[in-house]
């Protein structure tokens, strides 16, 4: 490609609405163009990057025996209602009607569609296991589209779905895909970790996220400094010190705590350490029927509640929300002075369920809200509480012991680029996907699903590989491997050498963009660094002496090379 003929227009200014490095650089480097919030056109350079990521992904998925299809973006709502996700998926689901007022969605994922295809196609266990994948545009009505390709309303995703007659087969395929993902992200030149994760609205029994480590990441990752344990903060567990309290249980005593609604205020006012207090979070789940389920979640005062863990403990279908003022008032609760006391009317009659973290059960003679404005109880004990659920609902923290008791947890930021799930029978039961087993009995199949955010990988690579001058692409996914730069288009010798090298590179299948523009050399160099081509081959005054300059974009090398050795140098770089 000749730069003079390319559809590339670079920009000096940083766009006002761009926050992340990848968003700024992709716009400035003419990789993408915004159409509306969260929706982008992929320009030629950006598309070449995506195509390379797709190619690597296809090769590794095909290597493990997965087969590619292309399913419709437009999906009938009936399938989503059958799977019970029409309501539970929430407002991010892009919904629309056709001219006959029938409900449809623009697919954010394709569990329903692939399960429908399977149940109408596959009949025998002999046809399993089966792994089907596609690479396709997906749609989610993000509340706040931001960060360019990191969180958009339309994006490109590889989604795969596997079908199995038994758990062993599912486990094997899950590990096969996990291994393929390691190879995909390694080939894309990314520094990443696979971490345990919550299954979220997709559902299932087990999942792992693949996180690109970057300071701009939206997710916190906790990992052991002495083992391979790593988990998203929503899923992470830890071991914390719980001292055995052998003291005698005392009778609870009401104490005035004026204007003390936070644990910090209560602890200071009563001169009690925070680990001898209990704090509560008031939550609710809004059901499809419009009714609400209410919860009080309690934890030791020096710890924090993890709402995802609460949701999973109570088997909530939807995300939990904070109770509003009306909820609190109608339930007879006093915000800021709440605990799960058994004599609170809405707790006694079962309108509010009480959840206690494991740490609460170990406490004696602690401080808890009295459900009276401006008052707390001291010497509260578990026997004073009504508890419906007990479990680990705390947020693990850096510095905690790893759950395997191997080292301590450290924290890093990550960008999710892949997510794999063991779905089990969540969709096969809902949609009746069965096969005949070896005894002729119809069994629901087990399923797995496996996603990669193709467009997000390109943004994540930039977040991890950039400097003050622009992008530093890993060579495997760079839009072009080489930027051949003619320093002065009026220098006849340099012009002839550039033309000769350009033709030789093309004949040797080297991906090259030839900057033949009639522009100043500094302008060309800045564009090359902004766009991030791995190699610059600079043809300048040294051409008359048979020499060109080669610069590595990552700054590792800057050397003079004989013209006749340029092709072999590039080929060696490509293989390394």
């Amino acid at each position: 490609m000749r730069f003079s003929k390319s559809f590339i227009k670079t920009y000096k200014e940083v766009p006002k609405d761009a926050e992340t490095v990848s968003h700024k650089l992709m716009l400035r480097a003419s990789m993408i163009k915004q159409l509306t919030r969260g929706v982008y056109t992929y320009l030629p350079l950006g598309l070449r990057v995506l195509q390379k990521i797709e190619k690597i992904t296809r090769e590794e998925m095909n290597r493990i025996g997965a087969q590619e299809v292309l399913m419709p973006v437009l999906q009938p709502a009936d399938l989503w209602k059958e799977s019970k996700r029409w309501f539970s998926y929430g407002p991010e689901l892009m919904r629309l009607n056709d001219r006959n007022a029938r409900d449809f969605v623009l697919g954010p994922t394709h569990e329903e569609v692939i399960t429908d295809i399977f149940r109408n196609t596959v009949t025998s266990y002999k046809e399993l296991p089966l792994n089907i994948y596609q690479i396709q545009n997906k749609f989610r009505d993000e509340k706040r589209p931001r960060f360019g390709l990191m969180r958009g309303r339309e994006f490109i995703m590889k989604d795969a779905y596997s079908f199995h007659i038994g758990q062993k087969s599912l486990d094997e395929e899950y590990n096969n895909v996990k291994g393929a993902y390691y190879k995909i992200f390694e080939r894309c030149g990314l520094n990443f970790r696979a971490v345990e994760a919550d299954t979220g609205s997709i559902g299932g029994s087990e999942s792992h996220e693949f996180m690109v480590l970057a300071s701009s990441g939206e997710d916190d990752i906790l990992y052991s400094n002495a083992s391979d344990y790593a988990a998203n903060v929503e899923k992470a567990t830890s071991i914390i010190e719980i001292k055995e309290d052998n003291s005698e249980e005392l009778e609870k005593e009401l104490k005035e705590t004026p204007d003390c609604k936070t644990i910090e205020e209560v602890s200071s006012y009563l001169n009690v350490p925070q680990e001898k207090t209990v704090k509560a979070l008031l939550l609710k789940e809004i059901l499809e029927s419009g009714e609400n389920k209410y919860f009080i979640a309690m934890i030791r005062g020096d710890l924090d509640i993890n709402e995802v863990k609460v949701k999973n403990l109570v088997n909530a279908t939807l995300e939990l929300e904070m109770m509003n003022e009306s909820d609190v008032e109608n339930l007879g609760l006093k915000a800021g002075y709440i605990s799960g006391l058994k004599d609170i009317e809405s707790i006694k009659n079962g309108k509010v369920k009480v959840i206690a973290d494991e740490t609460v059960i170990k406490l004696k003679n602690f401080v808890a809200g009295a459900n009276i404005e401006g008052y707390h109880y001291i010497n509260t004990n578990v026997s004073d509480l009504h508890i419906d659920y007990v479990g680990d609902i705390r947020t693990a923290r850096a510095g905690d012991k790893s759950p395997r008791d191997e080292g301590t947890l450290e924290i890093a930021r990550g960008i999710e680029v892949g997510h794999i799930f063991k779905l089990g029978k969540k969709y096969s039961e809902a949609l009746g996907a069965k096969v005949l087993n070896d005894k002729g009995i119809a069994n629901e199949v087990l399923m797995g699903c496996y996603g990669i955010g193709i467009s997000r990988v390109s943004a994540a690579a930039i977040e991890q590989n950039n400097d003050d001058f622009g992008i530093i692409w890993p060579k495997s996914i760079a839009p072009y491997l080489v930027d051949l730069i003619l320093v002065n288009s009026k220098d006849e010798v340099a012009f002839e050498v550039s033309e000769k090298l350009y033709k030789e590179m093309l004949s040797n299948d080297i991906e090259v963009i030839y900057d033949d523009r009639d522009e100043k050399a500094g302008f060309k160099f800045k564009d090359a660094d902004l766009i991030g081509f791995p190699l610059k081959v600079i043809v300048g005054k040294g051409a008359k002496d048979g020499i060109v300059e080669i610069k590595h974009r990552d700054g590792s090398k800057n050397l003079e090379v004989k013209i006749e050795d340029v092709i072999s140098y590039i080929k060696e770089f490509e293989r390394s």
Side-chain angles (χ1 to χ4, degrees):
M1 170 62 69
R2 292 177 181 269
F3 216 126
S4 60
K5 303 294 184 183
S6 67
F7 185 41
I8 302 172
K9 184 176 181 180
T10 58
Y11 302 89
K12 292 182 181 179
E13 300 300 319
V14 174
K16 291 181 180 179
D17 62 338
E19 300 174 74
T20 58
V21 171
S22 61
H23 194 190
K24 294 172 184 175
L25 292 178
M26 292 189 97
L27 289 170
R28 286 188 57 213
S30 197
M31 299 268 174
I32 57 174
K33 186 76 173 176
Q34 180 171 305
L35 177 63
T36 187
R37 288 186 67 217
V39 180
Y40 292 87
T41 296
Y42 302 99
L43 299 176
L45 289 176
L47 184 59
R48 287 182 67 87
V49 172
L50 292 181
Q51 288 170 337
K52 289 189 173 186
I53 298 168
E54 289 177 7
K55 181 175 182 293
I56 290 170
T57 301
R58 283 191 171 95
E59 287 174 355
E60 296 302 335
M61 291 302 294
N62 293 344
R63 201 184 308 277
I64 62 170
Q67 300 173 69
E68 187 172 6
V69 299
L70 186 60
M71 291 178 271
V73 170
L74 190 65
Q75 304 179 19
D78 289 346
L79 279 177
W80 284 73
K81 291 172 181 176
E82 197 174 349
S83 71
K84 305 293 191 291
R85 285 208 300 173
W86 175 251
F87 183 80
S88 67
Y89 200 91
E92 288 186 353
L93 192 61
M94 285 274 196
R95 306 162 199 259
L96 67 155
N97 302 111
D98 68 5
R99 68 180 67 194
N100 297 309
R102 290 176 297 201
D103 292 323
F104 288 85
V105 305
L106 296 180
T109 182
H110 276 67
E111 284 82 7
E112 284 80 3
V113 174
I114 193 66
T115 307
D116 181 62
I117 293 169
F118 180 90
R119 69 181 176 181
N120 290 304
T121 308
V122 180
T123 58
S124 170
Y125 76 97
K126 294 179 181 179
E127 299 171 73
L128 303 182
L130 185 64
N131 191 332
I132 303 293
Y133 78 95
Q134 65 172 350
I135 297 176
Q136 187 201 64
N137 286 36
K138 297 285 194 282
F139 299 85
R140 289 178 191 164
D141 194 3
E142 290 282 354
K143 185 177 182 179
R144 289 182 57 228
R146 61 197 188 279
F147 308 151
L149 301 188
M150 302 281 278
R151 189 163 293 282
R153 293 195 291 174
E154 180 179 356
F155 52 95
I156 299 173
M157 179 178 169
K158 186 283 298 176
D159 49 322
Y161 308 91
S162 65
F163 299 85
H164 310 269
I165 195 64
Q167 187 64 44
K168 182 180 177 183
S169 175
L170 172 57
D171 293 344
E172 288 174 352
E173 188 65 8
Y174 187 88
N175 289 329
N176 287 341
V177 177
K178 191 176 180 183
Y181 275 33
Y182 272 94
K183 291 177 181 177
I184 289 167
F185 297 127
E186 285 168 358
R187 288 181 62 187
C188 287
L190 301 174
N191 179 19
F192 67 94
R193 288 196 74 148
V195 305
E196 295 178 14
D198 183 65
T199 56
S201 63
I202 300 294
S205 61
E206 182 180 348
S207 78
H208 284 82
E209 289 174 334
F210 285 78
M211 293 284 195
V212 169
L213 303 182
S215 59
S216 58
E218 290 187 276
D219 296 292
D220 284 326
I221 303 165
L222 288 166
Y223 63 94
S224 170
N225 59 11
S227 74
D228 62 354
Y229 176 79
N232 189 303
V233 70
E234 294 178 343
K235 180 76 172 179
T237 59
S238 64
I239 299 172
I240 61 171
E241 185 179 8
I242 303 177
K243 295 178 182 177
E244 192 68 33
D245 189 346
N246 295 316
S247 60
E248 182 183 349
E249 288 190 6
L250 303 176
E251 190 168 341
K252 71 178 189 295
E253 181 181 346
L254 193 63
K255 288 283 186 179
E256 187 175 12
T257 50
D259 299 319
C260 294
K261 292 189 175 183
T262 68
I263 283 298
E264 292 79 8
E265 291 166 344
V266 172
S267 173
S268 175
Y269 187 83
L270 295 176
N271 194 26
V272 173
Q274 291 185 25
E275 58 266 29
K276 289 285 287 183
T277 69
V278 164
K279 61 184 177 184
L281 198 61
L282 308 182
L283 300 167
K284 67 177 179 180
E285 179 188 11
I286 303 175
L287 304 177
E288 187 173 358
S289 63
E291 296 179 355
N292 295 335
K293 290 176 72 173
Y294 297 102
F295 303 95
I296 295 174
M298 298 185 300
I299 197 166
R300 205 173 75 185
D302 61 322
L303 303 173
D304 293 313
I305 289 173
N306 182 322
E307 292 182 40
V308 173
K309 289 184 178 179
V310 175
K311 173 180 178 281
N312 293 335
L313 181 63
V314 301
N315 293 317
T317 304
L318 302 174
E319 299 300 319
L320 300 178
E321 302 177 9
M322 297 289 289
M323 290 188 202
N324 57 36
E325 289 183 13
S326 176
D327 296 322
V328 174
E329 184 178 346
N330 291 338
L331 292 168
L333 304 176
K334 296 295 180 183
Y337 300 94
I338 298 296
S339 63
L341 293 171
K342 61 175 62 172
D343 57 1
I344 296 175
E345 189 60 32
S346 56
I347 293 176
K348 280 198 298 185
N349 62 27
K351 287 185 178 179
V352 181
K353 299 296 183 183
V354 180
I355 306 154
D357 183 66
E358 297 164 327
T359 54
V360 173
I361 305 303
K362 302 288 186 180
L363 290 175
K364 285 185 181 179
N365 303 321
F366 52 87
V367 175
N371 201 39
I372 302 170
E373 185 79 27
Y375 286 87
H376 282 76
Y377 281 116
I378 63 170
N379 300 329
T380 313
N381 287 285
V382 174
S383 57
D384 299 311
L385 306 175
H386 173 96
I387 298 174
D388 297 288
Y389 302 90
V390 177
D392 172 13
I393 60 168
R394 65 184 176 275
T395 300
R397 307 165 299 184
D400 289 351
K401 284 185 180 180
S402 171
R404 299 172 188 166
D405 205 13
E406 296 171 331
T408 57
L409 295 180
E410 297 185 5
I411 195 163
R413 300 288 287 173
I415 300 166
E416 181 191 341
V417 291
H419 205 158
I420 59 177
F421 303 82
K422 291 181 183 178
L423 296 175
K425 295 184 179 180
K426 176 180 171 71
Y427 297 92
S428 57
E429 282 185 343
L431 278 74
K434 301 179 181 181
V435 295
L436 297 177
N437 64 17
D438 57 355
K439 294 180 175 60
I441 300 170
N443 282 11
E444 279 106 0
V445 292
L446 298 173
M447 292 175 59
C449 78
Y450 321 92
I452 289 179
I454 300 291
S455 47
R456 184 177 269 211
V457 168
S458 64
I462 295 173
E463 292 294 329
Q464 203 171 68
N465 300 279
N466 67 82
D467 61 15
D468 292 340
F469 303 104
I471 304 166
I472 307 174
W473 283 112
K475 63 186 176 185
S476 60
I477 60 174
Y480 291 93
L481 181 69
V482 177
D483 185 10
L484 174 63
I485 300 174
L486 171 59
V487 173
N488 182 358
S489 58
K490 295 180 175 58
D491 183 333
E492 292 184 6
V493 174
F495 175 80
E496 289 177 5
V497 169
S498 298
E499 290 288 329
K500 177 176 177 293
L501 283 173
Y502 179 54
K503 291 174 184 176
E504 287 181 356
M505 289 181 195
L506 291 179
S507 65
N508 280 275
D509 295 324
I510 292 171
E511 292 188 330
V512 56
I513 187 163
Y514 172 26
D515 199 341
D516 59 342
R517 295 175 295 174
D518 188 16
E519 299 282 359
K520 292 181 179 179
F523 184 82
K524 295 180 180 182
F525 295 154
K526 285 182 179 178
D527 273 358
D529 287 342
L530 172 62
I531 296 169
F533 306 112
L535 288 181
K536 291 196 289 282
V537 176
I538 302 167
V539 184
K541 293 179 180 179
K544 66 180 185 299
D545 300 317
I547 298 293
V548 300
E549 187 180 5
I550 295 181
K551 287 187 175 182
H552 288 230
R553 176 63 183 88
D554 63 6
S556 61
K557 289 183 181 179
N558 182 3
L559 64 162
E560 291 184 340
V561 176
K562 292 179 181 179
I563 291 169
E564 59 267 27
D565 294 334
V566 169
I567 300 301
S568 60
Y569 183 91
I570 295 170
K571 283 292 189 181
E572 182 61 31
F573 172 79
E574 198 172 19
R575 287 190 296 268
S576 65

